[in-house]
Amino acid sequence: MSFKVFDRTRLGLRPLAERAHELDRSVFIFPEGPREPFEHPAIPRIAASLLRAAQQKRAIIFFCGAHVLRQGNGPLLIDLMQRNLLTHLALNGAGAIHDFELALIGQTCESVARYVSEGQFGLWHETGRINEAAKAAASSDMGLGEAIGQMIEEERFPYRQTSVLAAGYRLKVPVTVHVAFGQDIIHEHPNFDPAATGVATYRDFLIFAESVSQLEGGVFLNIGSAVAGPETYLKALAMARNVAHQKGEVIRHFTTAVFDLVELGEDLRQEAPKSDPRYYFRPFKTVLVRTVADGGQSFFVPGEHRHTIPALYDRIIALARESAP
């Protein structure tokens, strides 16, 4: 049976200049800028593990949900990349969209309630250029994140210096974008090519898996991603351990951490029972328990990303300076 499909050519896109934006560059937190104080006992231990991983040239991987960038942490992540203290940054599709828009116009985010009522939510012309980057990636050897970063950097977007995607392209640090079809506004657009995007985002998954294969002695942080982060990490780790096992090697001794808002309680060493709603919070059972059960260590830091990530950044930089010759 052949089912009728929606005809995207009927859609009316409008320019970003007509959109009311909810965020602008004023949210950015810079390395030397002001920030709200935050403390948590896990942060010094995570920072120490991260610095040790950097000294041993092991993988330091952050998987960040879009709110991490929306709360202004992009400049801090870029600085860590520049210092070789972040070797791989992974984003979901929404994270890439916010980074792209901030680099292009210095603003991002729209009122879902307002624009879904008007039938205009997500249908903004310039943002759809990400789909052109996906097509370029699919016809080359680039992943989606690199292709978007190349567009931002080489077309000299006005605010590219605070773009994590452009920084990854410029510094040759992988910034991968992990897309789920139908979840991002640019999938509405008439120029969306699912085949090209599939090739590009899957290449990013393989780049991510290669980074995870270097995780022995390293660090993986899941920051504000309830599903994409833990699930992508889980599959990549299974692949990496499969190959390591065949070579008589292990990927067991590494540090993980979850930064999120969910209250998980005191006992984080064993997963919650299926009768407990926390069982279904994937970062808990996957990142904090199952994947470090045979030799790793894990930490949970609750709080707003605009508080927790700057606090982690500051501690990492302080330790790096203390250990410098």
Side-chain angles (χ1 to χ4, degrees):
M1 179 180 292
S2 178
F3 295 102
K4 188 176 181 179
V5 300
F6 187 90
D7 179 7
R8 292 177 293 167
T9 64
R10 298 178 299 165
L11 292 168
L13 274 64
R14 289 161 53 186
L16 279 171
E18 295 183 9
R19 188 176 81 182
H21 303 93
E22 296 189 334
L23 284 177
D24 60 27
R25 288 171 51 80
S26 65
V27 303
F28 281 141
I29 303 167
F30 292 90
E32 303 303 325
R35 68 262 271 113
E36 297 180 50
F38 178 86
E39 294 184 2
H40 189 279
I43 284 181
R45 299 179 66 184
I46 298 168
S49 295
L50 189 149
L51 190 61
R52 186 164 54 250
Q55 292 167 342
Q56 297 174 357
K57 301 188 183 307
R58 308 310 296 168
I60 303 169
I61 305 168
F62 292 9
F63 199 116
C64 296
H67 275 76
V68 179
L69 299 181
R70 287 176 55 168
Q71 294 202 341
N73 292 293
L76 304 181
L77 300 177
I78 292 170
D79 192 64
L80 291 176
M81 286 192 278
Q82 291 172 331
R83 296 172 183 267
N84 297 315
L85 296 172
L86 174 54
T87 66
H88 189 128
L89 175 62
L91 305 173
N92 59 13
I97 289 168
H98 290 309
D99 187 76
F100 180 91
E101 291 184 345
L102 284 165
L104 181 63
I105 64 170
Q107 301 178 91
T108 192
C109 293
E110 59 189 298
S111 168
V112 176
R114 170 182 172 179
Y115 287 115
V116 76
S117 178
E118 297 177 10
Q120 198 62 45
F121 174 65
L123 294 168
W124 309 101
H125 178 72
E126 294 91 335
T127 310
R129 294 204 59 217
I130 294 174
N131 292 330
E132 302 305 320
K135 294 174 187 177
S139 62
S140 69
D141 61 353
M142 289 187 294
L144 182 56
E146 184 180 5
I148 302 171
Q150 181 186 53
M151 177 181 283
I152 295 170
E153 182 67 18
E154 295 191 353
E155 294 190 14
R156 303 181 67 80
F157 282 21
Y159 307 106
R160 63 189 178 280
Q161 293 303 318
T162 48
S163 162
V164 296
L165 288 160
Y169 176 76
R170 191 169 58 245
L171 298 169
K172 301 188 186 310
V173 173
V175 180
T176 52
V177 179
H178 303 267
V179 173
F181 284 0
Q183 291 192 7
D184 298 323
I185 59 172
I186 54 174
H187 303 168
E188 305 172 48
H189 289 220
N191 73 335
F192 176 64
D193 184 334
T197 302
V199 168
T201 195
Y202 188 70
R203 185 174 288 131
D204 269 357
F205 171 65
L206 296 180
I207 294 169
F208 181 82
E210 179 62 23
S211 292
V212 170
S213 73
Q214 305 300 313
L215 197 53
E216 176 71 11
V219 173
F220 173 75
L221 304 187
N222 187 83
I223 309 173
S225 179
V227 178
E231 290 301 311
T232 304
Y233 155 72
L234 176 63
K235 279 69 173 187
L237 182 61
M239 294 162 67
R241 281 178 166 169
N242 181 287
V243 173
H245 179 74
Q246 294 179 59
K247 297 189 294 183
E249 299 173 356
V250 298
I251 306 175
R252 294 179 181 170
H253 311 98
F254 56 89
T255 298
T256 67
V258 170
F259 289 70
D260 218 302
L261 293 173
V262 179
E263 288 296 333
L264 297 181
E266 297 297 324
D267 185 6
L268 301 177
R269 296 191 177 188
Q270 59 182 3
E271 63 186 72
K274 291 184 179 181
S275 58
D276 188 327
R278 294 176 303 156
Y279 173 85
Y280 301 95
F281 182 61
R282 288 169 174 83
F284 185 1
K285 63 185 178 184
T286 299
V287 180
L288 297 182
V289 182
R290 292 178 177 177
T291 57
V292 293
D294 50 359
Q297 62 175 350
S298 64
F299 302 95
F300 177 59
V301 180
E304 295 278 355
H305 302 312
R306 68 177 182 271
H307 301 149
T308 61
I309 304 310
L312 175 65
Y313 169 86
D314 290 343
R315 187 59 180 170
I316 291 168
I317 299 305
L319 285 177
R321 289 172 177 162
E322 291 172 8
S323 64

